[in-house]
C-alpha cells in the first residue's frame, strides 16, 4: 500500500489546493467518507460540508465545500466542487453576517453555505 495519495481540490473557478496527503475526509450523499492511500476506487456526490486533508508533512487543511463530486483511483483523489474555500480564506465576521441575513430572509441555501464556512473555520 502506498504511503500517500495525490489530492486535487478544484472549484468551478479555480484550483483551490493540490498536494500529497495521508487522509482526506469528506461528506457525500452516502455519509462521511475517509480516503487513505490504497482505498478502493470510488465516485461519489459531495454534500456541502467541511473537507479535511491531512498532508504528508502533518499539516491539516480544511476547506468549505459546497456540492460537487469526489473521485478516487490509482492513489489520485479529485474533489471537484461547485464552490470551495480554504478555511484560512474565510472572513468569519462576513460569514456570521451572511448567516444572520439568511436566517432573517428564510434563505435555506444561503444559510447552509454560511454555516459550512463557519464549521470549516471551527475545524481548523
Amino acid at each position: 500500500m502506498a504511503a500517500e495519495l495525490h489530492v486535487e481540490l478544484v472549484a468551478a473557478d479555480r484550483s483551490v489546493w493540490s498536494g500529497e496527503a495521508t487522509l482526506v475526509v469528506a461528506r457525500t450523499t452516502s455519509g462521511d467518507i475517509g480516503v487513505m492511500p490504497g482505498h478502493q476506487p470510488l465516485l461519489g456526490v459531495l454534500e456541502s460540508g467541511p473537507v479535511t486533508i491531512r498532508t504528508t508533512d502533518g499539516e491539516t487543511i480544511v476547506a468549505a465545500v459546497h456540492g460537487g463530486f469526489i473521485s478516487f483511483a490509482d492513489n489520485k483523489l479529485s474533489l471537484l466542487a461547485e464552490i470551495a474555500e480554504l478555511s484560512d480564506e474565510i472572513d468569519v465576521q462576513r460569514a456570521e453576517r451572511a448567516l444572520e441575513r439568511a436566517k432573517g430572509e428564510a434563505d435555506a441555501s444561503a444559510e447552509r453555505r454560511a454555516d459550512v464556512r463557519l464549521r470549516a473555520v471551527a475545524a481548523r
Side-chain angles (χ1 to χ4, degrees):
M1 168 156 57
E4 60 188 42
L5 56 104
H6 184 75
V7 179
E8 293 283 337
L9 173 57
V10 179
D13 60 343
R14 67 187 178 117
S15 176
V16 178
W17 189 85
S18 177
E20 305 307 311
T22 58
L23 172 68
V24 176
V25 178
R27 173 153 298 165
T28 71
T29 53
S30 301
D32 288 349
I33 187 167
V35 178
M36 296 175 69
H39 194 284
Q40 293 295 314
L42 74 91
L43 178 61
V45 177
L46 289 170
E47 291 270 321
S48 290
V51 168
T52 303
I53 302 167
R54 299 266 163 76
T55 67
T56 53
D57 62 359
E59 185 180 1
T60 299
I61 306 289
V62 180
V65 172
H66 309 280
F69 298 93
I70 183 171
S71 162
F72 182 76
D74 300 322
N75 278 326
K76 293 179 186 157
L77 180 71
S78 297
L79 299 148
L80 308 171
E82 294 171 24
I83 302 169
E85 311 166 83
L86 295 175
S87 62
D88 58 1
E89 299 173 338
I90 296 171
D91 180 334
V92 175
Q93 280 110 9
R94 183 174 176 223
E96 288 170 342
R97 287 191 307 270
L99 180 60
E100 291 306 314
R101 187 172 46 252
K103 286 180 179 179
E105 297 171 359
D107 185 343
S109 180
E111 186 176 340
R112 186 172 42 255
R113 284 190 306 272
D115 179 62
V116 168
R117 286 182 179 109
L118 291 171
R119 286 191 295 141
V121 169
R124 98 174 102 138

